[in-house]
Amino acid sequence: MGVLTVFLDKATNLADTDFIGKTDPYVIFDLKQDNWLQNRDYGYQRSSTKSNDLHPVYGETFIWKNIEDIENLVLKVRIMDADFGSRDDKVGNCTIQLDKLGLSSRPMNVDRVVDRNIFTANGMIHLRVSYDA
C-alpha cells in the first residue's frame, strides 16, 4: 500500500467573487480511483481559509494512506470562497490525472489552471505531489 502526499503551496490570481471585501479562499481535494469495474473513493480533505486574499499562501500538507496503486487515480481540486450565512461560491477547479504524472517518492511540482481568464492572468493552483509505493 502506498502513500500519496499533496503539498498545497499557494494559489495565484484568484477571481474576486465577493461583493464586499475580497475572496476568502479554501481548497478541497477529492481523491478517487476511476476503475472500470470497481471505483474507490479515498475521501476529501480541506485546507484552511485565507481571508481577503486573491493570492493565498497555504503551506499545508495532505496525506492519503493505503493507496493500492495510482492507475486511474484522479485528484479533483476545487477552490471555494467562504461566505458567511450563505452557500460558498466556486472560485475555480481542475482535475489532475495522477497516473499520467510519473510520480515517485520525490515531490513533483504540479501547477494547474483553475480559472481561465481572457483579460487577466489565469487563476492557478501550485502543488507538490509525491507517491511512495
Side-chain angles (χ1 to χ4, degrees):
M1 298 288 182
V3 175
L4 177 74
T5 303
V6 176
F7 177 76
L8 171 58
D9 184 15
K10 62 185 175 181
T12 54
N13 304 314
L14 297 180
D16 190 359
T17 59
D18 275 350
F19 292 111
I20 301 172
K22 289 185 181 164
T23 296
D24 304 317
Y26 64 91
V27 180
I28 297 174
F29 295 105
D30 193 9
L31 186 65
K32 295 185 180 187
Q33 198 158 32
D34 189 17
N35 291 324
W36 182 254
L37 295 176
Q38 180 181 8
N39 295 333
R40 291 199 66 178
D41 186 349
Y42 290 101
Y44 73 93
Q45 297 188 43
R46 183 187 189 274
S47 75
S48 62
T49 301
K50 302 297 180 179
S51 295
N52 296 319
D53 199 344
L54 300 179
H55 306 278
V57 175
Y58 292 93
E60 298 177 25
T61 302
F62 302 89
I63 297 172
W64 285 267
K65 297 179 180 179
N66 299 319
I67 307 294
E68 289 184 23
D69 61 48
I70 61 172
E71 185 175 341
N72 300 321
L73 198 59
V74 176
L75 182 67
K76 293 184 179 182
V77 181
R78 289 181 292 157
I79 301 179
M80 304 295 290
D81 173 25
D83 286 332
F84 182 75
S86 65
R87 283 181 29 140
D88 293 349
D89 300 318
K90 185 176 95 174
V91 177
N93 68 311
C94 69
T95 300
I96 303 170
Q97 295 285 131
L98 296 173
D99 59 346
K100 307 285 190 229
L101 297 178
L103 293 175
S104 69
S105 59
R106 183 177 173 162
M108 168 188 285
N109 289 331
V110 178
D111 302 323
R112 291 291 188 270
V113 172
V114 292
D115 182 30
R116 296 198 183 279
N117 297 305
I118 296 172
F119 300 111
T120 60
N122 288 334
M124 300 285 295
I125 188 95
H126 304 275
L127 312 170
R128 285 195 294 275
V129 182
S130 64
Y131 178 71
D132 195 2

